[in-house]
Amino acid sequence: MAALRLISEHACFGGVQRFFEHASQEIGLPMRFSLYVPPQAADSRVPAAVYLAGLTCNEETFAMKAGAQRVAAELGLALIAPDTSPRGAGVPGETDSWDFGTGASFYLDATEAHWAAHYRMESYLAKELIRVVALEQPIDASRVGIFGHSMGGHGALTLALRHPALFKSVSALAPICAASQCPWGQRAFAGYLGPDTRRWEEHDASALMSQRSTPLCADTILIDQGLADQFLATQLHPHLFEQACAKAKQALTLRRHAGYDHGYYFVSTFVAEHLAHHAKILG
């Protein structure tokens, strides 16, 4: 397995913010990610929370905009943030739109021709990234949670539902909660997965939760949503995930906040509580 190539590192709240690139076996291309290592890692391996960013973002977005490192340092929590898609896959049209293709992977494994060779973000996250990080960095791979924003919130919820043994805690900020029922998700799913809508439901957080006869986890799922979010009515549909959790008897803390929009001012306001949520569960 190819070693991590350190791009840069920066002392930060007693720990270190690092940026890496490596040759991904699952993607078949170089992939980049950011890693914040808290000061507690000098003495022992620490738990980690994987953060999935939204449309058009990359591995730098969360590290630079969310202001999460100070709290992560206090909690002894590492933060792993991958890029939002492969880069340079050479798929025709992959850079034509901001909501499909580059920067818009929807964190799934594509099955349609052209996309299937490299757009394998689910396998990258579930099978490769955490293992690669833990080999060279002081991360405890048995204590990993997942959270994200917007498209990344969709990814966090669906990957937690699809890989419950891997991700021990889950939360989301303004997530796409029912991707098969919104324009962003419908376009992505048609392109990556083809026209069979039954396959779309396999990557729809609300559909996955509604199919469960038992809760996903004993701990609550935390979601924050701004009520001034310009995408709330058309793209996000948190009420559908709320209904699905009630059906599965899954504990859900869904907090709605007046005045907050979809951007990183919103994310940075509530990120500390999400980190505390993961730290409490991961121990």
Side-chain angles (χ1 to χ4, degrees), residues 93-126:
E94 71 177 339
T95 61
D96 289 353
S97 303
W98 66 274
D99 58 354
F100 180 69
T102 300
S105 71
F106 275 76
Y107 302 105
L108 51 76
D109 286 358
T111 56
E112 288 295 281
H114 305 303
W115 302 101
H118 298 296
Y119 277 69
R120 295 177 45 79
M121 288 296 289
E122 178 175 4
S123 289
Y124 174 65
L125 292 166

Side-chain angles (χ1 to χ4, degrees), residues 13-26:
F13 294 104
V16 59
Q17 177 68 57
R18 293 174 175 145
F19 295 90
F20 291 101
E21 182 177 80
H22 72 114
S24 168
Q25 295 180 355
E26 291 291 340

